[in-house]
Each structure stands twice: as C-alpha cells, then as structure tokens.
Amino acid sequence: LPDTITGKTFSLQELKGGQGTIVMFICNHCPYVLHIRQQLIAIAQQYAGLGISTIAISSNDIENYPQDAPDKMRALMAEWGNPFAAYLYDESQAVAKAYQAACTPDIYLFDANLACVYRGRLDASTPQNDVPVSGEDLRNALDNLLAGQPVNPEQIPSTGCNIKWKHS
C-alpha cells in the first residue's frame, strides 16, 4: 500500500516491528478515532522504542468521503506529528477485506512472527461515555506480548464508525 506521507509503497514485511506490529484501521473524520487520538499517538511513540511498529490504514471510500483522501491524511498526520511508521491508503479496500476490518478504529496486534495476538478495542472509552481514554486494553496486550506472557484471550471488539465501503 502507498504511504500518504512519503508516497512510497510498503509491504507489511518492510514495516513490521522487531517485537510486534500494531495495525489499525482509522480514518480522518471518525469521531471515535478523534476521541482516542492522543492515546493512539502516545502508544505509537512509547512502544516504537520497544520494538513495536504502528501502521495506520484508511480504507474508506474517498469518492463519498473526500475528507478521508490521501492529501487530507497527509495533513492530519502532520498535525499529529507523524507518530506512525506509516499511514497507508487502501484504495482498493482489499486490505480491509483481508483483515475483515469492520470499523474505525479496528486494532490488531501481531507478534514478531506476524501472528495475530490481539484484535480489539483501545479501551472502554467512547465519545458517548465518561470513561477516560487510557489505552488500557491495547496497552495490556502490548505489555504481555513484550513480557513473553500470553495475551488475554478475552478481547472486546472495537466500537466505532463502519468502514465506508465502495458501492460496486
């Protein structure tokens, strides 16, 4: 997939972290993503130093949702300080379909061998509740992965906006 910052096309193999890789489906306009952005940035920056790579992917239909277009993705990442290894645009939506991504945010954590060890929410916070954004669920999975401990198999799916699929 092409990176919206550099324009270079990357493979998962090139972007993966030595200890693990976070792959998250996000988009520019989703209120759920915007609600948790500070934790997404903090986690990406904190865990990058521990060998975890964070890859963000937007798969939304930009014809109907132009605010999610690559030029807007580039501007958003500049505003956020380019915290991720890459913010990729999945124009064909094939990557989202391969991952069975359902919403933004949809968060996956892979170990060093790219085996999925976590798919779930960042934490219990949503724009509609008063739960503080902590990143607790993802942080626990990351900390267990880095400590060589099993990741809790009870993983709560993410809540957010549906991926904006193209109509064929």
Side-chain angles (χ1 to χ4, degrees), residues 9-131:
T9 298
F10 289 102
S11 70
L12 181 57
Q13 209 58 39
E14 291 173 283
L15 291 173
K16 75 177 191 147
Q19 299 299 312
T21 306
I22 298 167
V23 174
M24 58 184 170
F25 290 84
I26 65 171
C27 73
N28 290 4
H29 81 276
C30 173
Y32 291 84
V33 172
L34 296 174
H35 176 71
I36 64 173
R37 71 183 172 276
Q38 295 303 341
Q39 270 301 313
L40 294 178
I41 293 166
I43 287 170
Q45 291 172 335
Q46 176 185 348
Y47 287 90
L50 300 172
I52 303 289
S53 178
T54 300
I55 303 164
I57 301 172
S58 178
S59 299
N60 277 359
D61 171 10
I62 63 169
E63 194 172 305
N64 291 305
Y65 298 87
Q67 64 270 44
D68 292 333
D71 62 321
K72 309 286 189 309
M73 293 166 63
R74 227 178 348 271
L76 184 70
M77 286 302 100
E79 181 185 314
W80 288 13
N82 295 315
F84 310 130
Y87 188 13
L88 307 173
Y89 177 52
D90 177 21
E91 184 175 9
S92 72
Q93 300 184 318
V95 175
K97 288 175 182 167
Y99 278 76
Q100 299 178 341
C103 65
T104 57
D106 208 345
I107 302 170
Y108 302 75
L109 174 61
F110 297 89
D111 67 14
N113 298 314
L114 295 176
C116 187
V117 296
Y118 180 81
R119 180 186 180 188
R121 66 186 188 181
L122 181 76
D123 58 33
S125 185
T126 70
Q128 295 85 12
N129 68 24
D130 291 326
V131 176

